[in-house]
């Protein structure tokens, strides 16, 4: 009888790097490993951080290096590993690239550092000085703080604080630098739901009760109270499972602060807020708290999908149609689509909510792949605003002006009643183009083939694509003529200038990513608008998202035609969505609002449907157009972008890719073509566009193609599944 050899354990470890697969390591004696554990292992000459992707037994036939150490932190969940593997396959990326999105600060795996704080002691020390008195006053007024904080408040050196502590006047307390999140209370104060909201909430409750994965589209007009419905869903999920974690994705993270206040009121606890401008300390805290299952409600931008949830029981994607869910650089992904994947991996429901759902989600709902939950009416007395067009062919503004007479009259009436006006134009800056009257030279960005936008407040010309900027020159760089440069077309700054000139008494402000580049500035501006300190707000698309301006009763859309033209299959849909949202800002309280759209094309489908208030008619027309062209969701698209410093190399590699595409039925390849911005930051770009029938496994086909191609150093190849940008 032969004895079976003792089998030792072998761990496959995935590293957060662009490597094709996990590598195998021996598990040293005495080390206990679980799938998902965070470990360190030697990679090349260095020790690297990775995750145990699989465990098996080692027959000893290979001389494997050993795992070095394992972190004392919860492992990634099975659902997370499934999500990473699935996303990598779908996006045609190495799994390590997806894992890199998951693993953020390494400090998150260690216990929170502690910080030393000082609070007032029970007794006063015998030796007091004027400086020590000031420190004591600061503690009594502001509460406990670090030596540096208290010293700053008291206007003394930190040495005075520590000296006072030594003398017995202060007590030292240690606490975690990353405080844990309090558990949410599902039974916090809520608003009673009206019957129609209750129906929607009941449908979602049934989905949660059923357990397992299911997707639903919550389709409700602006102001129909969607937020109350998903608050009910969150409360229900928390009651069903006391350890449940819930993810709420929002498109515009600056707005999350306003939503946060509502969450705190409803659930009596601070939610975890995750977004890209967060400092490293806050990231470290949230990542650890999510991984430890202590952060229970997470509100986040798209990258929150990659947080290491342990028990994700519900995902809500608010404003699911919003184009900012599409990540367009680095790793290209559509967060709404990946949210559905994440929910499926977690066997949990996902709710996609919007007043203007994407055609993709509507098609899924109509085909029965998603549950379809509708909230057609507005709550309370608010009604949808009246929408009318102003035909610019009849009411042409004077040269150099942008507001037509009927719009100006309507503004005067509105301001006369003490109500507010929003002028909407989706163009930042003062003018989208600066040209020379003498020679016709157009000011362009040096690195891309794009015009520079004039910003008058900063007196600079800025490229919105690359961020290049320069002072506005006094003379034409081409012909040298002095004062010959002229601004063409309007941006929000120019419209604001005109509004001020026409209504000198009115308080006019601009809301764009230039004036509200931080969450604080944006919130301050929204506050002023809500308090009625602004009469006319001139805004870009960030003004179209999620505010409640109760005294706003007139919306003027300066150029409703912007976005209807162009080669982007989603342009019509996006214009319509924006117009509905902008129009939906007016008349939310008991005052009816109205929206006036300035257009050269009042008969256009999108505009006519909006005036008729007939969303379904518009969506029907768009859907049929896409179906006829086999565009998403009736077909699938992928872009392959090839970039190189040398244009002939970009051409050669792009042609090589085109020649080596695997044969397949139901797939068509267009290009290589030079995209509109053919050169960005010195890289020349070529694009291949792939269209596939719906039933083709496009990812599998792209993988076969990618594996066929030898990487060329100095050439970048990016695969973008379901591209949104066609520039
Ligand atoms: Zn010139």
């Amino acid at each position: 009888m032969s004895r079976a050899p003792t089998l030792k354990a072998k761990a496959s470890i995935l590293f957060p790097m662009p490597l094709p697969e996990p590598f195998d390591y021996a598990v040293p004696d005495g080390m206990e490993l679980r799938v998902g554990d965070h470990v360190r292992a030697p990679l090349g000459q260095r020790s690297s951080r990775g995750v145990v992707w699989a465990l098996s037994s080692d027959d000893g036939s290979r001389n494997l290096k050993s795992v070095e150490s394992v972190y004392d932190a919860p492992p990634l969940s099975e659902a997370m590993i499934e999500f990473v593997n699935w996303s990598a396959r779908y996006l045609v990326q190495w799994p390590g690239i997806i894992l890199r999105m998951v693993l953020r600060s390494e400090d998150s795996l260690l216990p929170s550092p502690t910080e030393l704080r000082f609070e007032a002691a029970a007794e006063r020390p015998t030796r007091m000085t004027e400086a020590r008195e000031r420190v004591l006053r600061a503690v009594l007024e502001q509460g406990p703080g670090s030596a540096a904080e208290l010293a700053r408040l008291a206007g003394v050196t930190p040495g005075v604080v520590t000296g006072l502590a030594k003398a017995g006047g202060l007590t030292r307390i240690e606490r975690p630098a990353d405080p844990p999140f309090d558990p949410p209370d599902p039974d916090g104060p809520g608003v009673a739901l009206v019957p129609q909201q209750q129906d929607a909430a009941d449908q979602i409750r049934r989905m949660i009760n059923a357990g397992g994965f299911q997707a639903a589209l919550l389709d409700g007009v602006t102001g129909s109270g969607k937020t109350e419905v998903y608050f009910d869903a969150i409360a229900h999920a928390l009651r069903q499972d006391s350890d449940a974690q819930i993810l709420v994705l929002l498109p515009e993270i600056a707005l999350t602060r306003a939503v946060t206040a509502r969450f705190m009121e409803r659930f009596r606890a601070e939610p975890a807020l995750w977004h890209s401008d967060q400092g490293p300390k806050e990231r470290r805290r949230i990542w650890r708290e999510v991984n430890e299952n202590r952060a229970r409600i997470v509100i986040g931008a798209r990258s929150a999908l990659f947080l290491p949830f342990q028990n994700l029981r519900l995902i809500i994607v608010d404003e699911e149609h919003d184009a900012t869910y599409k990540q367009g650089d680095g790793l290209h992904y559509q967060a709404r689509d990946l949210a559905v994947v994440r929910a499926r991996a977690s066997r949990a429901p996902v709710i996609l909510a919007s007043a203007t759902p994407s055609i993709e989600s509507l098609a899924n709902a109509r085909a029965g792949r998603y549950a379809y939950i509708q909230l057609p009416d507005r709550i309370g007395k608010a009604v949808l605003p009246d929408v009318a067009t102003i035909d610019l062919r009849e009411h042409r503004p004077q040269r150099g002006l942008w507001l037509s007479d009927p719009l100006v009259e309507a503004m005067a009436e509105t301001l006369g009643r003490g109500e507010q006006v929003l002028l909407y134009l989706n163009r930042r800056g003062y003018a989208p183009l600066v040209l020379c009257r003498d020679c016709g030279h157009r000011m362009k960005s040096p690195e891309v083939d794009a015009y520079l936008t004039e910003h008058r407040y900063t007196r600079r010309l800025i490229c919105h694509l690359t961020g290049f900027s320069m002072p506005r020159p006094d003379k034409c760089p081409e012909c040298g003529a002095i004062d010959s440069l002229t601004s063409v077309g309007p941006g929000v700054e120019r419209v604001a200038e005109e509004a001020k000139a026409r209504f000198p008494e009115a308080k006019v402000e601009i809301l764009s990513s230039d004036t509200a580049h931080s969450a604080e500035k944006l919130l301050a501006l929204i506050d002023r608008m809500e308090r009625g300190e602004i009469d006319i707000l001139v805004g870009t698309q960030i003004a179209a998202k999620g505010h409640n301006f109760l005294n706003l009763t007139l919306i003027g859309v300066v150029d409703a035609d912007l976005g209807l033209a162009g080669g982007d299959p989603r342009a019509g849909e996006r214009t319509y969505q924006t117009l509905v949202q902008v129009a939906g800002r007016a008349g939310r309280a008991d005052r009816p609002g109205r929206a006036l759209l300035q257009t050269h094309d009042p008969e256009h489908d999108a505009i006519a449907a909006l005036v008729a208030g007939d969303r379904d008619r518009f969506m029907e027309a768009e859907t049929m157009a896409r179906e006829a062209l086999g565009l998403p969701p009736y077909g699938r698209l992928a872009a392959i972008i090839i970039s190189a410093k040398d244009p002939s190399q970009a051409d050669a590699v792009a042609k090589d890719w085109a020649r080596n595409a695997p044969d397949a039925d139901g797939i068509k390849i267009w290009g290589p073509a030079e995209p509109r911005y053919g050169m960005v930051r010195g890289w020349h770009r070529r694009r291949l566009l792939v269209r596939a029938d719906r039933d083709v496994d496009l990812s599998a086909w792209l993988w076969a193609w990618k594996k066929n191609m030898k990487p060329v150093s100095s050439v970048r190849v990016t695969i973008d599944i379901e591209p949104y940008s066609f520039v």
Side-chain angles (χ1 to χ4, degrees):
M1 202 172 75
S2 65
R3 252 179 42 195
T6 7
L7 290 178
K8 297 181 75 166
K10 179 175 79 177
S12 299
I13 295 181
L14 186 66
F15 295 96
M17 299 171 194
L19 297 167
E21 56 197 3
F23 294 153
D24 289 345
Y25 290 85
V27 180
D29 287 336
M31 183 184 277
E32 293 276 336
L33 282 186
R34 298 160 293 185
V35 170
D37 264 330
H38 299 271
V39 295
R40 295 196 72 85
L43 186 66
Q45 299 302 307
R46 307 182 329 157
S47 157
S48 291
R49 173 194 184 188
V51 173
V52 177
W53 222 240
L55 286 167
S56 54
S57 46
D58 181 9
D59 60 8
S61 63
R62 281 190 296 159
N63 192 13
L64 295 175
K65 288 182 181 168
S66 293
V67 176
E68 286 167 4
S69 58
V70 50
Y71 288 89
D72 184 16
L76 290 184
S77 68
E78 239 174 83
M80 192 70 203
I81 291 173
E82 186 181 328
F83 173 67
V84 170
N85 285 335
W86 201 97
S87 307
R89 183 193 172 279
Y90 172 71
L91 298 172
V92 197
Q93 296 287 349
W94 305 123
I97 291 182
I98 314 291
L99 186 64
R100 195 158 60 189
M101 302 290 290
V102 176
L103 304 184
R104 308 304 285 240
S105 74
E106 192 163 349
D107 293 349
S108 311
L109 294 172
L110 308 172
S112 170
T114 52
E115 54 187 19
L116 188 58
R117 291 158 67 86
F118 296 89
E119 66 181 358
E123 283 171 40
R124 286 168 61 85
T126 45
R127 246 197 87 241
M128 285 300 285
T129 61
E130 168 55 25
R132 286 182 172 187
E133 287 291 353
R134 287 215 297 274
V135 173
L136 267 190
R137 272 202 302 277
V139 173
L140 293 173
E141 277 165 25
Q142 302 290 324
S146 69
E149 279 163 18
L150 294 175
R152 188 170 39 78
L153 285 168
V156 299
T157 61
V160 177
V161 179
T162 48
L164 180 58
K166 276 204 192 95
L170 294 173
T171 311
R172 301 153 69 98
I173 36 176
E174 271 194 54
R175 62 153 213 189
D178 304 346
F181 287 90
D182 292 331
D185 174 3
D187 300 311
V191 177
L193 302 182
V194 301
Q196 159 186 292
Q197 286 173 313
Q198 193 62 57
D199 282 352
D202 287 345
Q203 288 185 62
I204 298 172
R205 284 180 177 218
R206 281 195 293 273
M207 282 168 63
I208 294 168
N209 292 346
F213 164 72
Q214 197 183 342
L217 174 61
L218 177 60
D219 178 356
V221 300
T222 313
S224 61
K226 281 191 299 295
T227 311
E228 298 304 334
V229 172
Y230 69 66
F231 276 4
D232 182 85
I234 293 169
H236 190 69
L238 290 170
R239 283 187 208 110
Q240 293 298 103
D241 178 345
S242 57
D243 286 325
Q245 289 179 303
I246 288 133
L247 170 62
V248 180
L249 289 181
L250 293 180
E252 198 75 36
I253 207 63
L255 300 176
T256 52
R257 309 279 172 104
V259 179
T260 307
R262 294 184 67 182
F263 270 88
M264 286 189 72
E265 220 177 282
R266 176 66 180 80
F267 297 104
R268 296 192 177 113
E270 171 200 14
L273 264 190
W274 179 264
H275 56 86
S276 54
D277 339 314
Q278 226 142 24
K281 191 178 161 200
E282 196 53 20
R283 279 173 170 264
R284 179 183 75 192
R285 175 189 180 207
I286 293 177
W287 202 98
R288 180 190 302 109
E289 291 295 302
V290 170
N291 196 42
E292 300 274 356
N293 204 9
R294 286 187 301 242
R296 307 281 304 288
I297 300 179
V298 177
I299 303 176
R302 57 193 176 214
S303 62
L305 273 174
F306 298 96
L307 283 169
F309 292 97
Q310 297 292 352
N311 186 28
L312 188 56
R313 299 320 314 143
L314 175 65
I315 303 180
I316 291 160
V317 183
D318 200 12
E319 310 287 352
E320 66 88 25
H321 63 277
D322 199 288
T324 54
Y325 281 126
K326 175 71 185 189
Q327 160 93 20
D329 40 53
L331 177 69
H332 293 60
Y333 65 94
Q334 161 53 275
R336 176 196 62 220
D337 297 349
L338 288 195
V340 174
V341 175
R342 188 82 175 83
R344 197 170 52 207
S346 300
R347 322 291 186 262
V350 56
I351 314 293
L352 312 179
S354 175
T356 53
S358 62
I359 288 186
E360 282 85 346
S361 297
L362 269 178
N364 278 323
R366 292 200 174 130
R369 284 185 289 271
Y370 294 175
Y372 193 20
I373 305 173
Q374 283 173 285
L375 278 171
D377 296 333
R378 281 192 165 193
I379 297 304
K381 289 182 202 154
V383 285
L384 279 172
D386 270 342
V387 181
T389 54
I390 297 172
D391 190 337
L392 288 174
R393 293 167 303 187
E394 263 172 63
H395 303 281
R396 185 196 296 267
Q398 284 171 40
R399 205 181 158 77
L401 296 181
W402 317 100
L403 305 177
S404 63
D405 289 343
L407 181 54
V408 172
E409 280 159 32
M411 289 171 71
E413 282 165 30
T414 306
L415 295 172
R417 284 194 304 269
E419 294 166 2
Q420 293 169 305
V421 176
L422 171 69
L423 294 177
Y424 171 79
L425 176 67
N426 202 17
R427 271 210 201 118
R428 291 160 56 197
Y430 184 81
L433 170 65
V434 173
L435 62 74
C436 171
R437 271 191 304 256
D438 286 11
C439 74
H441 175 70
R442 291 163 178 231
M443 298 294 294
K444 278 187 178 178
S445 182
E447 296 174 317
V448 292
D449 194 22
Y451 297 132
L452 292 173
T453 296
E454 179 177 6
H455 286 244
R456 193 147 281 192
Y457 291 156
T458 52
R459 297 217 182 96
R460 296 185 80 82
L461 304 182
I462 297 175
C463 174
H464 288 168
L465 214 63
T466 65
F468 167 85
S469 91
M470 62 181 282
R472 190 187 202 275
D474 297 328
K475 57 182 184 184
C476 171
E478 190 68 21
C479 70
I482 309 267
D483 289 336
S484 68
L485 293 176
T486 183
S487 314
V488 181
V492 281
E493 291 178 10
R494 199 170 199 180
V495 169
E497 185 180 270
E498 183 179 345
K500 271 183 204 148
R502 289 181 184 264
F503 301 98
E505 307 292 302
K507 283 159 288 186
V508 180
E509 291 211 41
I510 298 170
L511 175 51
S512 79
S513 53
D514 300 306
T515 59
H517 44 79
S518 68
E520 283 71 26
K521 285 211 158 171
L522 175 60
L523 279 187
L525 209 119
I526 289 170
D527 276 352
R528 285 203 296 285
M529 185 72 182
E530 282 177 352
R531 285 199 301 266
E533 291 168 21
I534 299 172
D535 299 312
I536 303 174
L537 185 64
V538 185
T540 60
Q541 64 181 10
I542 73 171
K545 289 176 190 169
H547 319 288
N548 269 320
F549 298 140
L550 300 182
N551 199 33
L552 170 66
T553 57
L554 175 66
I555 311 248
V557 178
V558 177
D559 187 351
D561 304 331
L562 258 185
L564 289 176
D568 177 352
R570 292 184 184 83
E573 180 188 350
R574 198 146 53 225
T575 304
Y576 182 79
Q577 285 158 348
T578 307
L579 293 181
V580 170
Q581 298 231 315
V582 171
R585 297 279 76 91
R588 296 191 123 196
D590 47 357
R591 266 171 282 214
R594 59 177 167 155
L596 293 174
L597 317 182
Q598 296 196 136
T599 173
H600 290 92
D601 192 4
E603 288 85 33
H604 188 282
D605 283 348
I607 305 235
L610 190 62
V611 171
D614 192 347
R615 185 192 78 181
D616 293 345
R617 188 176 109 198
F618 173 79
M619 287 305 202
E620 205 58 46
E622 275 288 298
T623 304
M624 278 165 65
R626 288 226 208 146
E627 196 167 6
L629 294 169
L631 291 174
Y634 302 98
R636 306 195 46 212
L637 289 177
I640 292 146
I641 313 282
I642 288 137
S643 329
K645 296 273 186 192
D646 171 4
S648 59
Q649 195 182 24
D651 280 328
V653 172
K655 279 181 192 143
D656 200 33
W657 270 73
R659 261 197 309 273
N660 285 292
D663 280 335
D665 287 337
I667 287 187
K668 191 163 170 50
I669 302 167
W670 292 304
E674 194 174 325
R676 174 140 62 106
Y677 300 110
M679 190 176 77
V680 175
R681 295 197 177 97
W683 288 78
H684 295 265
R685 308 196 306 162
R686 301 292 180 268
R687 189 190 64 202
L688 293 153
L689 198 59
V690 179
R691 197 208 72 81
D693 291 345
R694 223 195 115 77
D695 54 0
V696 171
D697 185 344
L698 180 58
S699 296
W701 181 82
L702 287 164
W703 269 113
W705 197 7
K706 178 173 168 165
K707 286 183 174 161
N708 240 345
M709 305 302 301
K710 265 210 188 74
V712 180
S713 64
S714 75
V715 176
R716 295 183 195 157
V717 177
T718 309
I719 295 181
D720 184 0
I721 298 280
E722 303 298 359
Y724 270 47
S725 169
F726 295 84
V727 298

